[in-house]
Amino acid sequence: MNKKNLALQGRNNIELAEKNMGALMKLRENFARLKPFKGLKIAMALHITKETAALVRTFIAGGANVAITSCNPLSTQDDVAEALKADGIAAYGYKGETGREYYSFLNKVLDIKPNITIDDGCDLVTQIHLKRPTLLREIIGGCEETTTGIIRLRAMERDRALKYPIIAVNDNKTKHLMDNYYGTGQSTINGIIRATNVLFAGKTVVIAGYGDCGKGCAMRAKGMGANVIVTEVDAFPALQAQMDGFRVMPMKDAAPKGDIFITVTGNKHVIRVEHVHTMKNGAILANSGHFDIEIDVAGIKKAATQKKQIRPFMTRYTFGKRGSAHGKEVYVLADGRLVNLSAAEGHPSEVMSMSFCGQALACEYLVQHNGVKGKNPLKPGVHYLPEEIDQKIASLQLGVMGVKIDKLTPEQVRYLKEWKEGTN
Ligand SMILES: NC(=O)c1ccc[n+]([C@@H]2O[C@H](COP(=O)([O-])OP(=O)(O)OC[C@H]3O[C@@H](n4cnc5c(N)ncnc54)[C@H](O)[C@@H]3O)[C@@H](O)[C@H]2O)c1
């Protein structure tokens, strides 16, 4: 497809996304009136999807100057990037960019000398702190979209390295309890199916990590008729998985049992070569955690006797002699990068609407609380968005879905504040 047609396709996709992002569109109307970001420059490293484009357009409606690149070399939707460029927006990156290009695009975005950074995985923040500290002077704050990014930010905070306030948007209830759970649950299975067309019914699906994402993946895999095994390192989520009816065991025991493996831990080398050696012939390995290190793809590549690209996001690794009694093949999807954004389109728009309401309102909050002219300036460090803003997002989304809920009666309000009333 030529650039013009790509841009047209991208525009159609963005319009489709915006139709399903009613809550974000309501915020856009307000921003267009009040222009809270007038004169501000926002640098974004978020997966360039049609939903992210809707967020970019929301910031622009609010008066911001935005530059965007992706936060993963395989997650850019090229049609969407072209549509943004056709509208004169500084958008960098393409699906399949190299690691070197990835960092050069991050730096192009930083060249605007941002006042606000929006990250998904913390690469912009670390780039600024490690390589371009002079940019710190202009920055009032930032936002972080995902669990892995928050883990890195907390580590920076512990080392007293973090020099500006960042809102942990991931930790909004309307983000991690919705996006990570319902979004990752559906889109991860979607990514695996698009990459392989495998049948889930009757298969054994091993899910590494039973956090918000793992719970969502387990629920959806079960719903499609799979037998689910969970691996964990933390006793509490392991117990939850067991009580939710799944088998729980270490990866070493799960490896020979699984047909499809999904890692969503935010950790490194959760599936290693030693596990692959005991897997069934034809096992499928997919990752939906932020970085491409959850499956030791480099180790698998080194140990394999043959590598073959079977389909765009499906690579077959052979161990031993193909077809011989000891020969074995496993399939790694999307090079171990997040399968839902590489092989599919990421989360559905409805879910991203809530996540991105969080981003939009977090940026507004940063502006209202910046050290220069805001009240109660935020100190450098990781901050939560106040509960009432999270509530506002949930209410907006319920409104969009046409769902009404009860209100506390005055008697109930009083009762909930009362400690004297007990057993009758
Ligand atoms: N694909 C997506 O679109 C998407 C969306 C949201 C989050 N994420 C990413 O997914 C990952 C998980 O996010 P989350 O919100 O579920 O995190 P979480 O912290 O809620 O859950 C992670 C779980 O993995 C477990 N774990 C850690 N190391 C493990 C190991 N070696 N073996 C087994 N379990 C292990 C932890 O105990 C925890 O229960 C992060 O990298 C996050 O950034 C991806």
Side-chain angles (χ1 to χ4, degrees):
M1 221 189 273
N2 64 31
K3 282 191 174 178
K4 192 170 156 222
N5 287 341
L6 257 186
L8 285 174
Q9 178 61 64
R11 202 162 286 155
N12 286 343
N13 275 332
I14 296 167
E15 277 173 20
L16 179 65
E18 291 183 345
K19 282 228 160 14
N20 291 316
M21 298 176 84
L24 185 69
M25 293 307 107
K26 285 217 166 3
L27 295 185
R28 186 186 290 177
E29 280 167 27
N30 275 347
F31 288 171
R33 250 182 329 105
L34 302 171
K35 304 279 178 208
F37 309 116
K38 193 161 173 247
L40 291 176
K41 292 175 280 181
I42 302 182
M44 296 169 76
L46 291 182
H47 306 293
I48 303 186
T49 64
K50 57 192 188 301
E51 292 76 21
T52 308
L55 178 65
V56 168
R57 286 153 54 108
T58 300
F59 284 129
I60 291 172
N65 174 10
V66 178
I68 178 165
T69 185
S70 187
C71 56
N72 185 291
L74 271 185
S75 65
T76 296
Q77 293 168 6
D78 290 334
D79 59 334
V80 172
E82 281 310 319
L84 290 173
K85 285 184 217 165
D87 285 347
I89 298 164
Y92 303 99
Y94 63 95
K95 194 178 188 86
E97 66 202 26
T98 63
R100 184 189 284 255
E101 285 170 326
Y102 174 80
Y103 278 96
S104 87
F105 295 144
L106 280 185
N107 277 292
K108 277 190 190 307
V109 157
L110 291 178
D111 286 344
I112 66 165
K113 300 197 173 110
N115 308 109
I116 294 177
T117 59
I118 303 184
D119 253 322
D120 183 332
C122 196
D123 279 344
L124 274 184
V125 168
T126 45
Q127 196 69 13
I128 291 167
H129 284 72
L130 294 172
K131 301 267 164 76
R132 301 184 64 176
T134 53
L135 293 176
L136 289 166
R137 281 198 294 268
E138 308 280 336
I139 296 178
I140 63 170
C143 300
E144 173 52 56
E145 171 79 0
T146 199
T147 317
T148 282
I150 308 290
I151 292 171
R152 297 179 79 191
L153 288 167
R154 294 265 180 228
M156 288 179 79
E157 203 177 28
R158 259 196 321 276
D159 288 351
R160 297 180 196 281
L162 184 56
K163 301 294 180 209
Y164 61 91
I166 311 253
I167 310 246
V169 172
N170 178 73
D171 294 357
N172 291 353
K173 286 185 192 155
T174 49
K175 202 285 182 178
H176 71 101
L177 296 180
M178 304 287 146
D179 169 314
N180 302 25
Y181 182 64
Y182 299 103
T184 312
Q186 177 168 322
S187 63
T188 300
I189 308 287
N190 186 17
I192 295 171
I193 291 174
R194 287 204 204 184
T196 62
N197 202 25
V198 69
L199 178 75
F200 269 69
K203 295 282 177 5
T204 296
V205 174
V206 176
I207 296 176
Y210 203 64
D212 293 314
C213 295
K215 288 186 177 84
C217 293
M219 170 185 65
R220 292 303 175 218
K222 180 183 174 186
M224 295 188 74
N227 297 300
V228 175
I229 294 176
V230 169
T231 73
E232 251 298 343
V233 290
D234 183 324
F236 185 68
L239 188 57
Q240 280 185 304
Q242 181 72 22
M243 304 288 255
D244 284 344
F246 302 122
R247 285 178 289 164
V248 179
M249 61 187 77
M251 183 58 81
K252 128 178 123 35
D253 298 339
K257 296 187 171 61
D259 299 298
I260 301 167
F261 293 78
I262 302 172
T263 53
V264 261
T265 66
N267 208 343
K268 190 174 177 179
H269 293 175
V270 176
I271 295 182
R272 302 181 289 277
V273 176
E274 75 213 50
H275 299 127
V276 173
H277 280 314
T278 67
M279 282 179 187
K280 291 181 193 171
N281 197 12
I284 292 171
L285 277 55
N287 168 53
S288 216
H290 186 77
F291 286 122
D292 60 339
I293 49 167
E294 302 214 11
I295 302 169
D296 180 12
V297 181
I300 292 173
K301 196 169 162 188
K302 210 163 147 207
T305 46
Q306 208 189 85
K307 174 187 172 192
K308 187 171 180 191
Q309 198 62 34
I310 302 294
R311 288 155 61 102
F313 300 103
M314 189 178 189
T315 311
R316 185 183 70 204
Y317 290 94
T318 305
F319 297 84
K321 194 159 179 280
R322 245 197 112 213
S324 77
H326 302 295
K328 139 121 46 105
E329 334 184 300
V330 298
Y331 299 97
V332 175
L333 306 190
D335 298 330
R337 297 201 187 276
L338 5 84
V339 71
N340 62 332
L341 281 137
S342 305
E345 293 173 72
H347 299 352
S349 309
E350 294 88 334
V351 153
M352 291 317 296
S353 182
M354 286 180 273
S355 308
F356 286 165
C357 280
Q359 290 288 357
L361 293 173
C363 283
E364 188 184 40
Y365 187 78
L366 282 171
V367 174
Q368 289 163 349
H369 296 268
N370 90 65
V372 186
K373 52 186 175 184
K375 50 184 179 195
N376 308 324
L378 294 173
K379 294 202 172 69
V382 182
H383 298 265
Y384 296 112
L385 207 58
E387 172 79 22
E388 59 271 19
I389 297 182
D390 211 359
Q391 282 281 345
K392 176 179 164 174
I393 299 170
S395 301
L396 267 175
Q397 182 64 20
L398 282 174
V400 165
M401 295 165 95
V403 177
K404 294 196 168 69
I405 60 171
D406 279 323
K407 276 201 170 72
L408 290 172
T409 64
E411 183 194 23
Q412 289 168 343
V413 172
R414 270 196 309 279
Y415 176 74
L416 291 173
K417 289 185 184 149
E418 158 71 46
W419 58 273
K420 288 181 188 149
E421 197 176 333
T423 311
N424 284 318

